[in-house]
Amino acid sequence: MYLSRFLSIHALWVTVSSVMQPYPLVWGHYDVCKTQIYTEEGKVWDYMACQPESTDMTKYLKVKLDPPDITCGDPPETFCAMGNPYMCNNECDASTPELAHPPELMFDFEGRHPSTFWQSATWKEYPKPLQVNITLSWSKTIELTDNIVITFESGRPDQMILEKSLDYGRTWQPYQYYATDCLDAFHMDPKSVKDLSQHTVLEIICTEEYSTGYTTNSKIIHFEIKDRFAFFAGPWLRNMASLYGQLDTTKKLRDFFTVTDLRIRLLRPAVGEIFVDELRLARYFYAISDIKVHGRCKCNLHATVCVYDNSKLTCECEHNTTGPDCGKCKKNYQGRPWSPGSYLPIPKGTANTCIPSISSIGNPPKFNRKWPNISSLEVSNPKQVAPKLALSTVSSVQVANHKRDCECFGHSNRCSYIDLLNTVICVSCKHNTRGQHCELCRLGYFRNASAQLDDENVCIECYCNPLGSVHDRCNGSGFCECKTGTTGPKCDECLPGNSWHYGCQPNVCDNELLHCQNGGTCHNNVRCLCPAAYTGILCEKLRCEEAGSCGPDSGQGAPPRGSPALLSLLAALLGTAGPLGI
């Protein structure tokens, strides 16, 4: 009886444990780079893919505000309490620690509670927009592993954009848009992550889910990382093998969760009503008590340790690799092109260790024939290179004595010898590169100036706005060629006199120069909404005139032709000039 009870309890425990375990142990955490094993040849090293543990990355970031003087307190000012816009006796004073709200309070330990927070100046310069850029920089490539969470103490903003950079802040891409009205703010239909799928997981969306404005219980904004993982790993993230497989084979998916910098663009504070209360502008400001960013150093599966030294994160590379991200082979270990580790096969993955160079393990045998430059890894047509030598007499690594014979900067392991030109070209360049040595970027991509030529992130997608740009290509600085009336690095902004409506269109009306007439109202700068009696682009025409039906009973404000008043006025004017002569 006791045995049966024990077995029942044990079975129950196994079931509960399997449900609670989000990452089954059989998949591993890739926390070991190598281990010693025993073989027939004795004790040898067995290498495997490895990565640092996920951690709170806010401990290592640098924060920058733009404009730099946007923080409240210099000069001191009062502001209204959240949830009670009529209680405006709170004070912000940068010279008094108890009343100051500097940027570092977004990341301090006490920031987990609403007692400490960063705060901007109030909207005292309305109607000039109150906009703030908060840039988080790591000076290191990191991989996000959990949701980004931002806690506001001022009500969540009406409009906000979360952006990312892959080149240390040189260029930026939108991550997600947030608004109370996505269509009005960003000309995008509102969506949530739940509306996405495996095929659309990389879509940049605008969500209204986190922009309910000025309410006490609505403080948090999310950027959902785990929900996107779940499209591949399941709702409980149990099928991590599927996610790892996708990350291994889909570079765009891997890059989506990779950043060097994040930027929070606050575009409009929480208003709470349709109109801004100009008599109480002290109620409008931004305040953030906490920002959470969880991730790990990107070490290309070649390290388990990331060291923070001299305000800089660096991978402690294994597998004979080196560099800040373990992104290249050590000197004398360039016997094959560098490659990142692989998550597959589960659970150990593949280390893709850098192997000793030919010169470091002895000189290759000499041949009587002088060889032209061919690949050190693969020859597309060996007969053209060595027609009198049997292939079995020499390995493909021995054929080329110099690494420079087939230099593809790690973006290809195949070369082809062009007999007519007596030269070698790289074949099937990867990582969005092209050219004889994979040294150029494909059309639609541009060179990452902060990356080495052998870095897999050397080419960055242009991300030209398809509605605002002439084509999807950009110049060497990442700037796209814009259509008339459009501007901005990605052609997603309008020049003065234009408004965004499926691309930048010239303003039909505005409230400055192009006024709608006769009581008409301007709608989104694209058309005038005219009263019933008027028509025309600016409501400048009577509708009855256009139809030719204006008359005494039309009631549309025009005196009818031949009216007594008009004839009397005409007679009086002519009478002063003499007889009518009728």
Side-chain angles (χ1 to χ4, degrees), residues 171 173 252 432 444-446 459-464 474 490:
T171 60
Q173 309 162 20
K252 282 191 175 182
N432 303 308
Y445 293 78
F446 69 100
C459 292
I460 303 173
E461 191 166 357
C462 292
Y463 286 107
C464 298
C474 57
K490 307 303 175 187

Side-chain angles (χ1 to χ4, degrees), residues 2 13 20 55 120 133 145 247 300 305 341 455 466 509 541 547-548:
Y2 292 107
W13 171 250
M20 296 178 62
T55 186
S120 74
N133 287 346
T145 58
L247 292 172
N300 287 295
V305 177
D455 193 316
C509 57
K541 297 179 182 179

Side-chain angles (χ1 to χ4, degrees), residues 132-136 138 144 146-150 152 157 159-165 172-179 186 188 203-207 210-211 221-225 228 256 259 261-267 288 291-293:
V132 185
N133 287 346
I134 304 173
T135 303
L136 314 178
W138 284 272
L144 301 175
D146 206 340
N147 295 350
I148 298 171
V149 183
I150 307 170
F152 285 85
Q159 296 176 16
M160 184 188 108
I161 307 175
L162 179 65
E163 297 179 324
K164 61 172 283 190
S165 176
W172 295 90
Q173 309 162 20
Y175 232 168
Q176 191 153 295
Y177 295 86
Y178 301 82
F186 301 116
M188 300 172 68
E203 181 182 343
I204 308 302
I205 65 171
C206 178
T207 179
Y210 302 111
S211 303
I221 281 180
H222 286 263
F223 178 71
E224 301 91 341
I225 298 291
R228 287 171 167 86
F256 185 82
V259 303
D261 307 77
L262 291 170
R263 183 164 68 182
I264 303 165
R265 294 183 59 194
L266 305 173
L267 303 180
I288 297 177
I291 298 178
K292 293 179 181 176
V293 182

Side-chain angles (χ1 to χ4, degrees), residues 1-16:
M1 181 177 67
Y2 292 107
L3 179 61
S4 62
R5 286 184 179 179
F6 172 77
L7 293 175
S8 300
I9 294 173
H10 180 264
L12 178 62
W13 171 250
V14 169
T15 302
V16 172

Side-chain angles (χ1 to χ4, degrees), residues 11 33 66 73 126 135-136 176 181 202 219 238 244 301 312 320 403 416 445 449 521 564:
C33 291
D66 184 29
Y126 176 85
T135 303
L136 314 178
Q176 191 153 295
D181 188 336
L202 303 183
K219 297 183 176 183
R238 293 183 53 78
Y244 290 152
L301 295 177
K312 190 175 182 180
N320 302 320
K403 184 190 174 188
S416 179
Y445 293 78
T521 57

Side-chain angles (χ1 to χ4, degrees), residues 503-515:
C504 291
Q505 309 294 338
N507 288 346
V508 171
C509 57
D510 55 36
N511 293 320
E512 298 175 1
L513 298 176
L514 300 172
H515 289 275

